[in-house]
Amino acid sequence: MKTLEKIFAAKLLHIKAIKLQPSNPFTWASGWHSPFYCDNRKTLSYPDLRSFVKLETARIVLERFPEVDAIAGVATGAIPQGALVADVLGKPFVYVRSKPKDHGLENLIEGELKPGMKVVVIEDLISTGGSSLKAVEAIRNNGCDVIGMVAAYTYGFAEAEQAFRKAGVTLVTLTNYEAVVAEALHIGYITEDDVELLNEWRKDPANWKK
């Protein structure tokens, strides 16, 4: 029986949300060069897949973090799914900006969290984990307890895993690098040589050059 990780990896590949280009690397906003790009936001354009992500994420929240009081989405990618999950669960929803607004109330957190609330953060993708953990810090500074994070995808970088451990945040994901690469190989999207190159990249993505 296929696991959720494999099922969702196949769905992402089917809608071309996963781009594997070992011979023509992408440049990320961080400046890193990468043969791999994941665009989970494409799932929002496919109603059946959007519902799949919503329901599976909600299920994970209920199973892993049943004491949840509120859901928080990380701007901007996780705002839609976060709101959808909160709606399914009947929980309050907020979203966390990358920086405070420069006008009006200058909010960093949009919506209302009451001190002492147990919050689950929804994220679309984990790379280094920096922006995700900044959202966690903002919620904690608001007097709330972040009891976990659920993300659609993680690259599984050692840097991110260390950062989450240090921050004391439990991370659960729908799928991950290993599942996507395995499925891409299975359907013939990439070759064994590509897998070797991708694995070399993931060992030291900041300094990787083709």
Side-chain angles (χ1 to χ4, degrees), residues 8-103:
F8 188 43
K11 290 178 181 293
L12 289 175
L13 284 160
H14 180 70
I15 66 166
K16 297 180 171 59
I18 299 289
K19 298 287 187 182
L20 298 173
Q21 296 181 185
S23 61
N24 184 25
F26 301 95
T27 301
W28 287 358
S30 61
W32 289 7
H33 297 290
S34 169
F36 195 130
Y37 194 84
C38 180
D39 183 9
N40 287 307
R41 301 175 199 204
K42 286 190 73 173
T43 62
L44 295 166
S45 299
Y46 297 83
D48 288 347
L49 185 48
R50 184 176 66 223
S51 291
F52 176 88
V53 174
K54 171 186 71 177
L55 294 174
E56 287 299 326
T57 303
R59 178 185 61 77
I60 289 170
V61 172
L62 286 176
E63 288 181 359
R64 297 293 300 273
F65 313 107
E67 68 273 35
V68 61
D69 295 318
I71 299 294
V74 181
T76 58
I79 292 175
Q81 284 296 350
L84 289 167
V85 169
D87 193 53
V88 169
L89 299 177
K91 300 294 182 181
F93 176 72
V94 303
Y95 68 86
V96 186
R97 295 177 175 273
S98 57
K99 58 183 179 180
K101 274 200 308 186
D102 58 5
H103 61 279

Side-chain angles (χ1 to χ4, degrees), residues 172-194:
V172 186
T173 61
L174 272 64
T175 193
N176 52 52
Y177 169 88
E178 287 86 358
V180 166
V181 171
E183 183 63 23
L185 181 63
H186 175 70
I187 65 175
Y189 182 33
I190 58 174
T191 67
E192 289 284 1
D193 287 344
D194 293 330

